[in-house]
Amino acid sequence: MLQKELMSKKRDEFEDILEERRVSSDLRYAMKCYAPVIYKGLSPCKPNAIKSAVLQSEQVQYVIKQLAKETGESPDIIQEEAMEILDEMGHSMQLGAVRFFAFTLSKIFKRLFQRVCVNEEGMQRLQQAIQEHPVVLLPSHRSYIDFLMLSYLLYTYDLALPVIAAGIDFLGMKIVGELLRRAGAFFMRRSFGGNRLYWAVFAEYVKTMLRNGYAPIEFFLEGTRSRTAKTLTPKFGLLSIVMEPFFKREVFDTYLVPISISYERILEESLYAYELLGVPKPKESTSGLLKARRILSDNFGTIHIYVGQPVSLRTLASGRINRCPYNLVPRHLPQKPSDDIQEFVSDVAYKMELLQIENMVLRPWVLVAAVLLQNLPAVDFELLIEKTLWLKGLTQTFGGFIEWPDNLCAKKAITSGLALHSNIARLVDGHVVLNDKGTEDGAVGEIIFKRALAVLMCGTYRNQLLNVFVRPSLVVVALQMTRSFRKEEVYSCFSFLRDVFSDEFIFFPGISLKDFEEGCFLLTKCGAIQTTQQEIYPTDKGSVVISFLSAMFRPFMEGYQLIFRYLSKEAKETFTEKQFISGVRNFVFQLLEKGNTQCYEALSSDIQKNALAALVQLGAVKKKKMTNGFTYSINQEAVNKILDMFDSRIPVQKPVAARL
Amino acid sequence: MAAPAEEAAGSGSGSPSSARRRLSIISGHLRGSPWAPGREGPSPSPCKAWGAPAGPASGSIPKKRQELLKWNGWGYNDSKFIFNKKGQAEFTGRRYRLGGMVLPTFKEWIEKTFGASLEHKSTSRASLNVNDVPPSIISEEFLQDLIATKISYSQDAEDRVFRAHGHCLHEIFALREGIFRRIPDIVVWPVCHEDVVKIVELACKHSLCIIPFGGGTSVSSALECPEEEKRTIVSLDTSQMNRILWIDEKNLTACVEAGIVGQDLEKQLAESGFCTGHEPDSMEFSSLGGWVATRASGMKKNIYGNIEDLVIHIKMVTPRGIVEKNCQVPRMSTGPDIHHFIMGSEGTLGVVTEVTIKIRPVPEYQKYGSVVFPNFERGVACLREVAKQRCAPASIRLVDNAQFQFGHALKPQVASIFTSFLDGLKKFYITKFKGFDPNILCVATLLFEGDREKVLQHEKQVYDIATKFGGLAAGEDNGQRGYMLTFVIAYLRDLGLDYYVIGESFETSVPWDRVLDLCRNVKERIVRECKEKGVQFAPFSTCRVTQTYDAGACVYFYFAFNYRGISDPIHVYEQIERAAREEILANGGSLSHHHGVGKLRKRWMKESISDVGLGMLRSVKEYVDPNNIFGNKNLL
């Protein structure tokens, strides 16, 4: 059963859409006859008609009346406010703007990228889906390029352009913001939890477009660009909004389409690394974008876009949401979703992210980065080739989606990868070294910073492998931690690790045992372990795999260990997230300076935040909402216990699933 | 008490535009109908009736039902759709307005809609094979006691089989191709309340199971005998309890025996200038007791009300004794209304024997009408507005486009060139001049009733509202044809069965704001389920909003498909019907508006009325009928 599931991944072929653009006129392309297929139940209307429909909707009117009653404000004034929100938010898609984008993006993309590869079958499935039911596009989010590229792609294939939920900070970019709006973007404030009017207007706006089948709706489950190229845990707000029309049966079904966009080289890679190390990201501004022009002369390799199989929400819900929770209350009243529904939304979110991960393309450089990071400061070129090839085999065994460029031999593929990523690593005297020497003889602090920068940038590529490797690797780590072969104990430890890393990697909620079995299955498949009814043994020839896997996840094990140690020794009783991050950073920095650790990745604010979130979930840290944000307070005993388990001073004890 | 309320059943409508003519058509059914006496003739039992003739009146339905009615299909033996020698569809018999008429476009519609071909026939067996019928098992003691009461009875195989079913698709299919595993062991024909009391006493004494039988028009598997029932099953046929006992003109009420069928009730009341106005589409065959037992609804409920609004007093015989009230008053505050335990009890508590029902003077004037809307959404909005203003005519229905085309296909050959020219002109006006898309537009059919002046005034009010929603008046003829469709559809199913097409109707009630979503989603679900189950030709899936209320509407669905290439069509059909019901419930619709639950929809009762609600009903059943004499296993 499991075997079948893991082996049945058959993927489509890719097609380069830039190829055509390089040989024919961009202008003609931008002016082409554009008559996209539309939803069969579409009631055509203009963006402004949608806005007024939203404003007049029972949902929004209800909230306006409620607020008027509560605040004593006149409903007219609140209505005005709602109108302003709508104007700020609403898109005004115009074909002219779309054509302008089609033209300029053609030019830009051809400069930036060698190829933009798309699975055409996926596009055909999407075309079919758009006609049948309202469609929600759920792309992965690694770069600002994502949504530009996706709209560009849909235009190229003569599909309806999506309306996109974009962060409102784009609006700060004067001309570009307006252009984006005309290309179909609509904007949401980053956080509006407390503002009921905003929430009502926003939710109704999204739902109105969905119900009308106006256009596909696009947003990012991850909520923001992943700075580490590792999939972020999903946000549920928008997803639950787009699922609601189905729950209330205002639409027959809704298609969710996972889309995996993989970059051979990420445009923002160095920006991200700085940001993770605490150098704040520049605010989006038009002039900032213009400065970024110099990147136009750079080469960013190939993009792979894999449009996944549209998933029917109705099929997902069948058997899950049996009761009719919305039957007893008028559908326009705001209603907190039941626990059942919330759990379902969360499950769907994780499922969609796992589908994204499954179809993320892995380029040779990703393998190189993983090998390189285990062999710092330098690795022999020949050895690197050998190890990379070995890793390629292992990745494929684990179900990773490797695209090897044009059947190049390993050496050429790796050389071209090195050329593309010359800012990260280079070949010196037959050895590949990390590009971490900025100013030759700077202060110690500066050297560490430069090195951390290089490690994090390199890590961004290795990270793309992690979600494919995480299950077998955590089994391996658990095996080493428990120092026992008893399946029960290994599982218990695995399950503990899975909980600790629940914000670091993507696990489908509540199926720890299945994940464990999958990990064991994959390790057995590559010959690293043997299992009996009760026990798990590493095999002799498996030691290479086992040590590789555990080294791959060592930065996370060590990083978390350092963070826990900081919390148990140095942290104050209560603190804010900001204080926590700078505290950890200083703590780790000092250890690095003294040479007491080599874990540069512990400097990454991403790991720090994830670890904190995990502790909150494990109950070792309490999160409290204050007037000016959240504060955290430590339960020392619980943190110490987790730390002890990490240090393998005490065995992991967790209630074991009975079925094992 | 069989569920009578199947709207798909034939009503006597299709008559010209006056109530009297409508009734005269129905009575026309009767003139030719032979009254076949039962095996033992009228019973001389000492039934007392106040001012009514002693013994059973001559009802329309004989004891030997099969002499008048089809044994394996709907309605009268002489009325059915056929394809004549020219290959044109024709409706036989003289009972209905459509009788003897040729329907030139109907064949093409069938072929187009179902992908059916007249070359592929699936014929029913010619007659019932008596040898297949399960034997009648009866104890000698009971038989002796029964004979002593002088109540008419029969153990004949045909009599028993024809009371073992209603008109669900699987039941008719079983008659055509198979047999029921369990049928009644004996049929009894009480002629009055006292006879029923005796039968129930005997059943208690000998531990028998009684299944009351009224008109036999159930569409909820309510009449099916539970297969595992080991006791003797007595089918208690109320058809010979069919007298009007008295009419009270001062209070406008009439006391009627529960076995009377709708057409007889209206005909006999009309002789005194009255009517009940209760016209479920099955009124030719369904009985007063059945209406009570299933909470029936009539087409003209906007004027006359549903059965619960019409009933003043009910007398019911239960194993505990007789339940009734002490007076006949319009309303009383004496705890929960016991009538509401009886209405909708589906034969699980006892036998309704006598009902006092409201009557009204026969209306002076009746007029059909119709309105074309550019689309279904506008039509629903108009019906909602009409309901809001509480000015609904006697009947107002909105059919979707598919059903409009269906109705159109049943248009008889036009008599003159002039008429066809006019038709063409009308079509041109609506589609070209007004820009209605013939594949999207939909039609509301109307029936007004009352004083001539008031009807005309009312008509204007409704048409004015319709205009606001983009509606165009489309004439009386279209309206009338719409109502005709509801009674011929049951006959049509028999035609479909001959050509590998199976179908059924089902209904629900739903709040106004969910009407559109429910209609769209249920139809879509049916199409999708058919596809998944391997139905090769897209199904016919259509609906109409058939009743309006203050807070919502009743929606009626037809669903049929061509089953060629499917090995177990009934199973596939049932899966799809079940999915459609799930969809209705998920869309905020009810389990049933008027067909009832029976055994077909029992599985959803708990979610419909909650655990405690079900327990309340159970405890009534346990008190009234602790030994489950009325063991048809409906509802609970």
Side-chain angles (χ1 to χ4, degrees):
Chain A
M1 171 77 178
L2 189 62
Q3 186 154 8
K4 222 170 160 189
E5 226 169 86
L6 292 171
M7 301 312 287
S8 64
K9 285 174 198 159
K10 228 186 123 213
R11 292 166 176 124
D12 307 334
E13 297 287 315
F14 283 106
E15 209 60 49
D16 179 12
I17 57 164
L18 285 189
E19 204 173 293
E20 166 80 17
R21 294 272 45 75
R22 290 193 203 279
V23 293
S24 69
S25 157
D26 288 334
L27 193 61
R28 197 178 306 141
Y29 161 79
M31 300 314 291
K32 73 172 178 169
C33 167
Y34 173 61
V37 294
I38 49 170
Y39 173 49
K40 64 174 181 207
L42 175 74
S43 31
C45 56
K46 295 242 153 51
N48 272 332
I50 288 197
K51 281 188 198 172
S52 68
V54 171
L55 203 60
Q56 295 311 321
S57 70
E58 285 174 311
Q59 286 81 342
V60 170
Q61 287 297 324
Y62 175 82
V63 173
I64 288 175
K65 271 182 212 147
Q66 278 309 94
L67 287 174
K69 218 185 277 173
E70 283 166 28
T71 59
E73 194 77 73
S74 116
D76 292 346
I77 291 178
I78 300 177
Q79 169 125 348
E80 204 108 306
E81 217 177 291
M83 192 66 217
E84 276 164 26
I85 293 174
L86 261 176
D87 282 338
E88 172 193 280
M89 178 165 65
H91 77 96
S92 53
M93 200 191 282
Q94 286 171 357
L95 199 53
V98 172
R99 294 194 190 286
F100 173 80
F101 267 109
F103 180 76
T104 41
L105 287 180
S106 292
K107 297 284 180 213
I108 293 171
F109 288 163
K110 280 191 283 188
R111 294 280 293 271
L112 285 176
F113 304 111
Q114 286 170 326
R115 295 188 305 154
V116 174
C117 298
V118 179
N119 64 328
E120 287 209 319
E121 285 163 65
M123 295 307 288
Q124 281 157 14
R125 287 191 296 256
L126 181 60
Q127 181 182 19
Q128 203 61 41
I130 284 175
Q131 295 170 64
E132 279 178 47
H133 301 297
V135 166
V136 179
L137 304 177
L138 300 170
S140 58
H141 203 11
R142 302 285 171 273
S143 166
Y144 282 140
I145 297 293
D146 289 330
F147 62 88
L148 295 174
M149 182 54 84
L150 210 51
S151 294
Y152 182 78
L153 184 65
L154 293 181
Y155 176 80
T156 305
Y157 279 88
D158 224 8
L159 296 179
L161 290 186
V163 287
I164 309 152
I168 210 155
D169 23 8
F170 271 111
L171 268 182
M173 306 161 77
K174 283 189 190 97
I175 304 161
V176 176
E178 202 46 43
L179 270 173
L180 283 175
R181 193 196 285 284
R182 291 192 185 165
F186 64 96
F187 298 94
M188 62 189 289
R189 292 182 191 160
R190 279 262 184 252
S191 63
F192 49 87
N195 188 337
R196 274 157 68 200
L197 186 64
Y198 192 90
W199 173 257
V201 171
F202 180 79
E204 191 50 30
Y205 185 66
V206 174
K207 286 187 277 184
T208 304
M209 283 189 292
L210 188 87
R211 283 191 294 251
N212 284 6
Y214 182 83
I217 288 177
E218 174 184 327
F219 65 90
F220 301 101
L221 274 173
E222 296 166 272
T224 181
R225 294 169 299 162
S226 166
R227 269 64 170 172
T228 59
K230 207 153 45 62
T231 302
L232 303 175
T233 50
K235 304 276 180 292
F236 307 125
L238 257 166
L239 187 63
S240 68
I241 290 179
V242 298
M243 283 163 80
E244 205 183 275
F246 169 73
F247 290 147
K248 294 187 171 174
R249 294 301 194 273
E250 292 162 339
V251 296
F252 182 77
D253 198 354
T254 302
Y255 276 130
L256 306 175
V257 185
I259 298 176
S260 320
I261 308 178
S262 331
Y263 295 87
E264 190 169 16
R265 186 178 162 206
I266 297 164
L267 216 60
E268 295 99 323
E269 57 180 1
S270 65
L271 220 58
Y272 289 160
Y274 276 100
E275 212 184 291
L276 289 173
L277 291 172
V279 182
K281 81 167 183 176
K283 208 172 169 227
E284 280 88 351
S285 72
T286 306
S287 62
L289 195 78
L290 289 176
K291 271 181 216 140
R293 262 205 61 186
R294 74 188 157 76
I295 60 169
L296 280 181
S297 55
D298 224 337
N299 177 4
F300 290 88
T302 301
I303 300 181
H304 284 91
I305 304 170
Y306 196 97
V307 179
Q309 181 81 37
V311 179
S312 147
L313 180 54
R314 176 175 273 269
T315 309
L316 289 177
S318 84
R320 275 293 297 266
I321 308 292
N322 275 332
R323 277 165 287 157
C324 321
Y326 296 97
N327 280 358
L328 291 178
V329 178
R331 291 184 293 182
H332 68 269
L333 295 190
Q335 212 183 329
K336 194 171 177 285
S338 65
D339 291 350
D340 267 11
I341 299 248
Q342 282 182 26
E343 195 189 307
F344 177 64
V345 171
S346 152
D347 284 359
V348 171
Y350 275 98
K351 187 181 167 84
M352 289 300 130
E353 285 202 343
L354 286 167
L355 287 171
Q356 283 175 2
I357 289 167
E358 191 179 301
N359 291 322
M360 283 292 215
V361 163
L362 305 168
R363 300 286 287 177
W365 173 252
V366 166
L367 308 174
V368 173
V371 173
L372 185 57
L373 281 174
Q374 290 191 24
N375 294 279
L376 291 178
V379 57
D380 178 73
F381 187 54
E382 296 301 325
L383 185 67
L384 179 70
I385 293 172
E386 188 191 314
K387 285 236 174 200
T388 303
L389 273 177
W390 172 83
L391 183 55
K392 180 187 171 203
L394 189 64
T395 308
Q396 279 166 335
T397 310
F398 287 178
F401 186 8
I402 293 183
E403 270 283 304
W404 204 259
D406 303 328
N407 299 319
L408 283 185
C409 73
K411 187 170 178 178
K412 275 189 184 157
I414 291 168
T415 314
S416 89
L418 272 171
L420 193 67
H421 298 277
S422 56
N423 58 329
I424 296 177
R426 64 205 149 101
L427 194 58
V428 181
D429 305 331
H431 282 73
V432 174
V433 295
L434 213 53
N435 229 349
D436 55 359
K437 308 283 185 290
T439 43
E440 271 308 322
D441 43 17
V444 189
E446 188 137 349
I447 291 170
I448 291 174
F449 184 78
K450 287 280 175 196
R451 185 158 180 100
L453 213 53
V455 168
L456 286 187
M457 260 160 60
C458 198
T460 304
Y461 294 94
R462 174 216 52 205
N463 284 351
Q464 299 178 24
L465 282 180
L466 295 181
N467 274 306
V468 178
F469 277 68
V470 69
R471 287 162 194 81
S473 300
L474 288 191
V475 172
V476 165
V477 175
L479 255 174
Q480 292 173 335
M481 273 172 79
T482 46
R483 299 189 204 102
S484 155
F485 301 126
R486 292 201 45 220
K487 217 179 198 174
E488 227 170 78
E489 280 172 55
V490 178
Y491 171 64
S492 174
C493 182
F494 171 88
S495 183
F496 164 74
L497 290 171
R498 189 180 177 277
D499 288 347
V500 171
F501 290 125
S502 63
D503 282 79
E504 199 70 54
F505 309 109
I506 304 301
F507 298 106
F508 192 84
I511 55 159
S512 189
L513 186 60
K514 201 172 162 230
D515 280 344
F516 179 68
E517 280 168 354
E518 187 186 323
C520 291
F521 167 76
L522 293 175
L523 288 173
T524 315
K525 196 167 136 197
C526 66
I529 59 165
Q530 276 180 334
T531 58
T532 65
Q533 204 65 21
Q534 261 95 39
E535 297 187 305
I536 299 179
Y537 301 101
T539 60
D540 292 340
K541 67 175 178 127
S543 62
V544 183
V545 174
I546 287 177
S547 64
F548 182 87
L549 294 183
S550 82
M552 189 178 209
F553 282 78
R554 190 162 301 138
F556 297 93
M557 291 299 293
E558 282 183 20
Y560 274 55
Q561 223 167 349
L562 291 175
I563 292 162
F564 297 155
R565 198 167 297 155
Y566 162 77
L567 282 175
S568 100
K569 298 215 164 66
E570 312 238 329
K572 287 184 291 178
E573 198 82 357
T574 59
F575 50 86
T576 63
E577 189 187 76
K578 217 169 155 191
Q579 290 166 333
F580 164 77
I581 286 173
S582 67
V584 177
R585 191 175 287 139
N586 288 335
F587 177 75
V588 175
F589 212 88
Q590 280 166 14
L591 290 178
L592 284 166
E593 266 179 339
K594 287 184 205 139
N596 287 347
T597 180
Q598 286 298 311
C599 185
Y600 286 87
E601 296 187 45
L603 288 172
S604 156
S605 58
D606 186 60
I607 283 193
Q608 294 157 4
K609 286 178 193 167
N610 289 339
L612 185 61
L615 287 176
V616 171
Q617 264 170 36
L618 292 171
V621 167
K622 267 214 173 63
K623 188 177 178 180
K624 259 191 249 146
K625 198 179 158 101
M626 306 300 253
T627 42
N628 50 353
F630 292 100
T631 63
Y632 299 81
S633 55
I634 309 182
N635 174 346
Q636 272 304 345
E637 203 183 324
V639 170
N640 286 339
K641 197 171 163 209
I642 293 171
L643 180 62
D644 283 347
M645 291 192 209
F646 251 71
D647 293 348
S648 300
R649 278 197 292 267
I650 58 167
V652 174
Q653 274 168 339
K654 279 206 52 148
V656 173
R659 281 206 317 116
L660 204 79
Chain B
M1 314 293 131
E6 188 203 21
E7 273 205 60
S11 84
S13 95
S15 69
S17 57
S18 97
R20 279 179 209 288
R21 288 186 64 186
R22 187 179 152 89
L23 286 168
S24 75
I25 296 297
I26 291 174
S27 59
H29 306 161
L30 305 170
R31 247 173 281 127
S33 70
W35 179 64
R39 208 173 52 171
E40 300 176 20
S43 146
S45 73
C47 291
K48 56 178 193 293
W50 307 267
S58 58
S60 293
I61 310 299
K63 282 164 131 183
K64 288 269 170 204
R65 299 170 63 78
Q66 56 273 30
E67 284 166 6
L68 180 68
L69 305 177
K70 290 194 194 77
W71 69 275
N72 64 348
W74 179 261
Y76 299 104
N77 279 325
D78 57 9
S79 303
K80 60 178 175 237
F81 283 95
I82 55 158
F83 286 106
N84 64 22
K85 282 174 202 136
K86 285 192 223 154
Q88 286 176 316
E90 203 181 310
F91 193 68
T92 65
R94 288 270 164 263
R95 293 175 187 276
Y96 300 96
R97 188 161 165 254
L98 206 60
M101 292 206 190
V102 172
L103 314 165
T105 57
F106 191 59
K107 182 180 159 210
E108 193 197 330
W109 180 84
I110 289 193
E111 287 169 344
K112 203 181 86 199
T113 309
F114 296 105
S117 153
L118 296 193
E119 270 124 58
H120 299 280
K121 267 199 104 172
S122 69
T123 38
S124 162
R125 53 180 183 178
S127 64
L128 185 71
N129 186 353
V130 178
N131 298 328
D132 292 345
V133 175
S136 159
I137 299 164
I138 287 182
S139 74
E140 200 48 42
E141 295 86 3
F142 165 59
L143 209 54
Q144 290 310 321
D145 281 356
L146 181 65
I147 289 168
T149 63
K150 302 214 170 71
I151 294 169
S152 165
Y153 73 92
S154 164
Q155 287 174 271
D156 176 67
E158 286 193 348
D159 287 338
R160 293 188 293 120
V161 169
F162 299 152
R163 283 163 186 78
H165 68 88
H167 280 271
C168 287
L169 176 70
H170 67 268
E171 293 170 317
I172 299 303
F173 213 80
L175 280 172
R176 289 169 61 100
E177 301 195 351
I179 192 61
F180 307 110
R181 284 203 210 138
R182 186 72 170 98
I183 64 167
D185 296 297
I186 184 169
V187 180
V188 295
W189 285 277
V191 295
C192 62
H193 172 78
E194 284 71 22
D195 281 357
V196 175
V197 173
K198 284 180 206 155
I199 294 167
V200 173
E201 275 168 5
L202 285 184
C204 292
K205 179 178 164 197
H206 295 280
S207 183
L208 314 173
C209 170
I210 297 179
I211 298 185
F213 182 95
T217 57
S218 155
V219 282
S220 59
S221 302
L223 286 169
E224 265 178 16
C225 298
E227 266 178 47
E228 65 284 0
E229 180 59 67
K230 296 281 189 301
R231 300 173 294 183
T232 294
I233 297 181
V234 179
S235 175
L236 192 154
D237 184 329
T238 60
S239 65
Q240 306 310 307
M241 295 165 52
N242 54 18
R243 293 165 300 171
I244 295 179
L245 298 180
W246 46 256
I247 293 175
D248 177 351
E249 297 192 12
K250 289 199 187 69
N251 295 308
L252 286 178
T253 55
C255 183
V256 187
E257 287 185 312
I260 196 166
V261 294
Q263 56 168 320
D264 290 349
L265 179 59
E266 292 303 289
K267 191 197 77 178
Q268 289 173 33
L269 284 175
E271 286 166 9
S272 318
F274 292 105
C275 67
T276 64
H278 185 68
E279 293 184 16
D281 289 350
S282 60
M283 71 174 290
E284 294 164 283
F285 310 110
S286 58
S287 69
L288 174 58
W291 300 339
V292 170
T294 55
R295 296 179 66 83
S297 170
M299 181 180 100
K300 301 193 293 197
K301 74 95 192 149
N302 292 336
I303 293 183
Y304 300 98
N306 289 319
I307 196 72
E308 68 273 20
D309 309 309
L310 285 163
V311 159
I312 294 292
H313 184 266
I314 302 172
K315 197 192 253 184
M316 178 162 79
V317 180
T318 77
R320 262 296 157 192
I322 293 159
V323 53
E324 60 180 329
K325 294 182 183 175
N326 73 326
C327 55
Q328 313 204 73
V329 293
R331 182 173 195 275
M332 56 204 270
S333 176
T334 46
D337 191 340
I338 54 164
H339 283 171
H340 284 284
F341 291 130
I342 298 168
M343 286 188 285
S345 59
E346 305 193 353
T348 57
L349 299 179
V351 188
V352 175
T353 54
E354 289 169 15
V355 178
T356 304
I357 190 166
K358 290 193 219 168
I359 55 172
R360 301 286 306 164
V362 172
E364 163 193 324
Y365 188 65
Q366 199 177 35
K367 190 173 183 188
Y368 289 97
S370 65
V371 181
V372 187
F373 290 98
N375 55 46
F376 194 64
E377 289 76 9
R378 301 286 277 164
V380 171
C382 175
L383 260 63
R384 204 283 160 264
E385 183 61 28
V386 167
K388 200 176 192 173
Q389 296 193 20
R390 292 205 172 158
C391 63
S395 169
I396 178 166
R397 290 174 170 177
L398 180 77
V399 302
D400 69 1
N401 184 266
Q403 212 168 122
F404 159 72
Q405 299 202 11
F406 179 20
H408 219 69
L410 287 170
K411 221 170 173 170
Q413 206 155 28
V414 283
S416 70
I417 295 174
F418 182 65
T419 332
S420 84
F421 174 71
L422 264 185
D423 280 351
L425 216 60
K426 266 188 250 166
K427 194 175 165 195
F428 177 81
Y429 176 72
I430 287 174
T431 60
K432 295 293 182 314
F433 191 73
K434 281 288 174 181
F436 285 19
D437 183 337
N439 292 313
I440 295 177
L441 63 81
C442 73
V443 178
T445 59
L446 309 165
L447 173 63
F448 298 91
E449 213 174 87
D451 296 348
R452 191 184 153 82
E453 212 167 292
K454 276 191 191 144
V455 162
L456 296 177
Q457 212 181 338
H458 194 176
E459 193 185 19
K460 184 173 180 308
Q461 188 187 4
V462 172
Y463 281 110
D464 282 350
I465 295 173
T467 310
K468 284 191 197 123
F469 291 90
L472 289 175
E476 287 184 52
D477 195 47
N478 277 318
Q480 211 177 340
R481 204 171 31 253
Y483 289 100
M484 175 187 76
L485 200 135
T486 59
F487 84 83
V488 296
I489 187 123
Y491 285 101
L492 274 172
R493 185 171 74 188
D494 294 335
L495 180 74
L497 281 168
D498 286 343
Y499 295 96
Y500 291 93
V501 174
I502 51 177
E504 184 80 280
S505 59
F506 52 92
E507 43 74 34
T508 187
S509 48
V510 59
W512 276 115
D513 71 312
R514 296 174 196 251
V515 169
L516 283 175
D517 289 332
L518 181 133
C519 290
R520 181 197 59 233
N521 290 342
V522 172
K523 286 193 276 185
E524 171 105 32
R525 179 74 181 264
I526 289 170
V527 171
R528 203 159 126 156
E529 292 286 332
C530 280
K531 208 167 162 189
E532 276 171 22
K533 303 281 182 308
V535 175
Q536 284 166 13
F537 209 82
F540 180 59
S541 162
T542 165
C543 72
R544 69 167 183 265
V545 179
T546 201
Q547 287 290 11
T548 64
Y549 292 86
D550 287 350
C554 168
V555 181
Y556 207 93
F557 292 90
Y558 293 135
F559 148 52
F561 64 87
N562 180 340
Y563 69 86
R564 276 175 57 209
I566 295 177
S567 59
D568 189 354
I570 292 299
H571 181 64
V572 167
Y573 167 79
E574 280 170 353
Q575 284 180 313
I576 297 169
E577 188 191 22
R578 186 170 156 184
R581 183 58 60 182
E582 299 274 0
E583 191 63 35
I584 285 175
L585 295 175
N587 278 272
S590 65
L591 189 53
S592 170
H593 169 265
H594 60 269
H595 281 178
V597 177
K599 290 179 271 290
L600 194 61
R601 285 175 276 273
K602 251 167 90 165
R603 73 174 96 231
W604 293 289
M605 268 301 269
K606 196 164 113 180
E607 99 180 69
S608 288
I609 62 169
S610 83
D611 264 338
V612 177
L614 206 58
M616 288 162 80
L617 296 186
R618 280 211 182 100
S619 63
V620 170
K621 165 79 180 170
E622 268 157 34
Y623 173 76
V624 173
D625 183 17
N627 297 318
N628 196 27
I629 300 296
F630 289 89
N632 61 14
K633 295 231 164 134
N634 289 340
L635 203 62
L636 299 172

